[in-house]
Amino acid sequence: MRKKKRGLALVIVLFSTVILTMMVGAFFVVNQDNFSLGRAAEGRLEAQLAAESGLSYARFKLEQNQTWGRGPFTGYPEVVGSLTVRQNGADLVGEFKDGRTFRLSVRNQLGQAGSPAAGGLAAVPKDSVVVTSWGGVRGFQSGLEMLMVGEPLYDAAASSNGMIDMRGNKTWEVHSRDKMRNWVRSNDDIHANDVLRVGTTESTRFISDVGSSIPGTLWSKKEIYSQDTAIDSGNAKAFFTSTNATVAPRSTKNYNIYDLKLSDLKVPQTAAVTIPPGRYYVTETLATPVKRVETPRFLLPPRVDMVDQAQRAIRAVTYIPEGGGTPQVFYDQAGLAAVADSGGVKPPATGTMVSGSATFAPGFTFDFSTLDFSMTGSQQLEVNGNFSVGYGTGVDANGNPFTPQLPKPDTDIKFSSGGSMTFLNVKGNMSVDGKVVGHGAIAAEKDIFFRADANLTATTTDPLVFWSGGNVTIDATGRQGVKLTGLVYAKNNFEVLTTDSSVLQEVRLTGALVARNGKIKMANTDKVNMTYDPAYLDALTKGLPNDRRRLAPMSWRVL
């Protein structure tokens, strides 16, 4: 009986094994197509990743040199880590050590007018590039095509890594001459003025100057405020209605503000003219009028005496070398003649008489008729140290204490007008106690400080206005306004301020304003007008060394 049970168990086990084997076999037969599809999907994915690697390689090369691929490729083969890139006819072939490959073709119209459709290929828009990449692995292939467009270095009316603070301004307008963008960007908080308060008289408005229907955008990695009220889902609609601007607070995207170097700038290609570093200031010096006095004598010619009169003040301009040294004093011949008496005039005890103007370096002069410093000519002026222009409050031409007798002038700097572009490069700090006007550009490796109106204009071919390796500060107390046209770049902070309760009429900035590591702050102004104009940046972008270029992907296509 026990033997029969054992035999039956063996039969059951054998039968079960057969059934299980048949089921497993049937499973693999039924799912063979699924396994094949899975292997194919894996292969296509790896091939697509290889194609994406080709696109990434092409973008890297194009951003380093926007002319790459515009003609025959040169400099190959190239080894980058585990990748070897070789030329293959008009294309490039990349091979990874793990067997993945890509094949690249490039149609490059960056900085060009574009190319029409031809040979079955779509047109390439102006200032753009089309890259086609075929990736392959183990017999699988995947193709991708990407259209990339050239971008300006800075894509917003105002950009900063620090806070943008517009509190205390009656009106803030942000204009754009770009159809695609009207941005204000900060990697810190943004404080607009008080537009959400009931009954407010303050306003913020984003306006397209080219008829674009795309609204403006306030973009921040932190918070966005109306005055000190955070913009959130509850009041964002009211803010948009008031400003025509969407808000993007607490963004997770990394916004990298390009670190513009002095060597990146497009400046007049002339040998630099050196201006001695130090302080240049307008003041007074004393001349002594001489009166001719005739005393009658009996039967003799009258006796003539030259009698010194009370000293009179005349304009003077003084240069004090940096680090000390003997001041250089200049006074005007016409100013001296103006205080002469009947017996003439004794000149000041020290100083050099000039006729009409004093020249400190070729292209840098002081005009006694207008009391302006002038910087002229299409050239570079270089100061190897600190540079200061101002009024010598309370000191005479020799730096001694002095009670002024003449009205205080504005000590302005006037750059060229017309087609000339003068570039002033200061290797230290720069300060001006007066207006700065004209067609010029200023770069200072440290801080730039103005205590007056500023009205500087660049052109779309020479787009720089300010470049500062430190802060740009404009103290406009009691003044009319500030107008800057072109690129304004501060490595740290940009600030327009008044030191009392006076209200500045207008701050008008056209081009782009950048405070790379610091903040942007303006207050006590009736109207702040910012206009983003990429035309002022295009030449600067395309003029970077070695044809470097920023690119943005516009569209992808799977082939």
Side-chain angles (χ1 to χ4, degrees):
M1 190 72 177
R2 189 175 294 171
K3 291 182 178 180
K4 289 182 178 180
K5 289 182 177 180
R6 290 177 180 172
L8 181 60
L10 179 61
V11 171
I12 293 172
V13 169
L14 290 175
F15 181 77
S16 299
T17 301
V18 170
I19 295 298
L20 182 61
T21 301
M22 292 174 64
M23 291 176 65
V24 171
F27 174 80
F28 279 102
V29 170
V30 171
N31 289 281
Q32 184 176 0
D33 290 342
N34 291 335
F35 288 131
S36 298
L37 289 173
R39 287 192 298 271
E42 181 182 355
R44 283 193 295 270
L45 177 60
E46 290 189 40
Q48 181 175 327
L49 292 174
E52 290 179 5
S53 297
L55 294 179
S56 296
Y57 173 82
R59 181 173 180 177
F60 170 78
K61 300 295 287 187
L62 288 162
E63 287 190 330
Q64 296 301 306
N65 183 351
Q66 68 168 341
T67 67
W68 181 81
R70 194 179 291 169
F73 293 107
T74 59
Y76 289 93
E78 180 183 34
V79 178
V80 184
S82 63
L83 171 66
T84 301
V85 183
R86 295 183 174 87
Q87 189 171 353
N88 189 325
D91 298 338
L92 292 178
V93 173
E95 299 173 347
F96 292 93
K97 290 183 178 180
D98 61 6
R100 292 176 298 134
T101 64
F102 61 75
R103 185 184 186 98
L104 284 176
S105 64
V106 179
R107 291 182 290 150
N108 186 352
Q109 289 293 307
L110 290 171
Q112 306 295 304
S115 62
L121 298 175
V124 180
K126 69 176 182 179
D127 199 24
S128 66
V129 58
V130 174
V131 180
T132 304
S133 178
W134 284 96
V137 61
R138 299 191 305 276
F140 295 98
Q141 280 196 329
S142 179
L144 295 173
E145 186 176 84
M146 180 167 64
L147 170 67
M148 292 179 284
V149 298
E151 278 201 324
L153 279 181
Y154 307 108
D155 62 359
S159 307
S160 75
N161 272 315
M163 179 191 298
I164 295 180
D165 190 354
M166 303 302 296
R167 290 173 291 189
N169 298 298
K170 186 174 181 180
T171 301
W172 180 25
E173 288 186 359
V174 183
H175 294 248
S176 178
R177 296 172 185 169
D178 187 314
K179 290 186 176 181
M180 299 302 296
R181 52 177 73 87
N182 189 4
W183 293 71
V184 170
R185 289 185 181 265
S186 173
N187 287 323
D188 205 312
D189 295 334
I190 297 177
H191 287 263
N193 50 10
D194 198 2
V195 299
L196 293 181
R197 177 172 52 86
V198 176
T200 183
T201 59
E202 298 181 3
S203 66
T204 293
R205 195 71 181 166
F206 281 67
I207 302 167
S208 173
D209 291 345
V210 290
S212 174
S213 60
I214 299 175
T217 301
L218 285 168
W219 183 99
S220 171
K221 292 198 75 172
K222 294 187 178 180
E223 298 291 342
I224 298 173
Y225 299 88
S226 171
Q227 193 72 9
D228 295 310
T229 301
I231 309 298
D232 54 26
S233 58
N235 55 19
K237 184 176 180 180
F239 186 82
F240 176 82
T241 301
S242 175
T243 64
N244 190 38
T246 60
V247 293
R250 301 177 298 280
S251 175
T252 58
K253 181 182 176 182
N254 181 43
Y255 177 55
N256 180 36
I257 300 176
Y258 181 78
D259 185 8
L260 188 68
K261 298 178 176 58
L262 195 57
S263 58
D264 291 336
L265 304 179
K266 184 179 180 183
V267 299
Q269 298 302 306
T270 60
V273 174
T274 300
I275 295 177
R279 183 183 177 204
Y280 298 80
Y281 68 92
V282 180
T283 183
E284 304 170 13
T285 189
L286 294 175
T288 305
V290 178
K291 186 175 183 178
R292 177 187 174 95
V293 178
E294 293 186 1
T295 303
R297 293 187 298 176
F298 182 70
L299 299 178
L300 292 174
R303 190 180 74 189
V304 177
D305 294 303
M306 298 297 183
V307 181
D308 292 350
Q309 305 298 300
Q311 289 185 315
R312 298 275 302 277
I314 61 173
R315 287 292 179 205
V317 60
T318 297
Y319 162 61
I320 299 179
E322 186 174 54
T326 303
Q328 297 179 20
V329 180
F330 300 90
Y331 56 89
D332 185 32
Q333 181 179 12
L336 185 65
V339 298
D341 206 325
S342 57
V345 61
K346 292 181 179 178
T350 59
T352 301
M353 185 172 68
V354 295
S355 178
S357 64
T359 300
F360 301 99
F364 177 46
T365 60
F366 177 78
D367 189 326
F368 279 94
S369 62
T370 61
L371 302 181
D372 295 326
F373 291 89
S374 297
M375 295 186 175
T376 57
S378 296
Q379 61 177 337
Q380 295 186 57
L381 301 175
E382 186 174 274
V383 182
N384 292 308
N386 297 317
F387 179 72
S388 174
V389 169
Y391 174 71
T393 304
V395 294
D396 66 8
N398 295 299
N400 300 314
F402 180 75
T403 300
Q405 300 180 26
L406 302 175
K408 178 183 176 181
D410 283 335
T411 50
D412 302 340
I413 292 181
K414 289 188 176 179
F415 281 85
S416 303
S417 59
S420 298
M421 174 71 177
T422 307
F423 175 61
L424 174 63
N425 183 9
V426 179
K427 302 294 186 179
N429 296 301
M430 177 178 176
S431 66
V432 179
D433 190 6
K435 296 179 183 178
V436 181
V437 298
H439 180 197
I442 295 172
E445 293 187 4
K446 295 183 180 178
D447 294 339
I448 295 176
F449 179 83
F450 294 124
R451 188 181 287 110
D453 311 66
N455 185 346
L456 271 176
T457 300
T459 69
T460 55
T461 54
D462 296 293
L464 175 72
V465 177
F466 285 153
W467 182 94
S468 169
N471 304 308
V472 174
T473 304
I474 300 176
D475 180 355
T477 302
R479 301 291 179 163
Q480 295 293 314
V482 175
K483 180 181 178 182
L484 303 174
T485 304
L487 172 65
V488 179
Y489 179 93
K491 184 80 76 174
N492 295 326
N493 301 320
F494 176 89
E495 188 170 9
V496 178
L497 55 86
T498 56
T499 56
D500 58 18
S501 59
S502 62
V503 176
L504 189 61
Q505 290 184 7
E506 184 178 30
V507 175
R508 181 176 291 270
L509 307 173
T510 301
L513 168 62
V514 179
R516 186 177 186 274
N517 298 329
K519 66 182 179 180
I520 295 173
K521 181 177 175 60
M522 301 178 207
N524 296 334
T525 302
D526 277 343
K527 184 175 184 180
V528 176
N529 185 306
M530 297 179 177
T531 300
Y532 176 70
D533 190 343
Y536 286 97
L537 305 177
D538 284 347
L540 183 65
T541 302
K542 296 171 186 175
L544 287 175
N546 303 317
D547 278 307
R548 286 181 285 129
R549 190 70 190 279
R550 285 186 65 190
L551 298 176
M554 289 297 292
S555 63
W556 293 71
R557 186 164 71 97
V558 178
L559 302 176

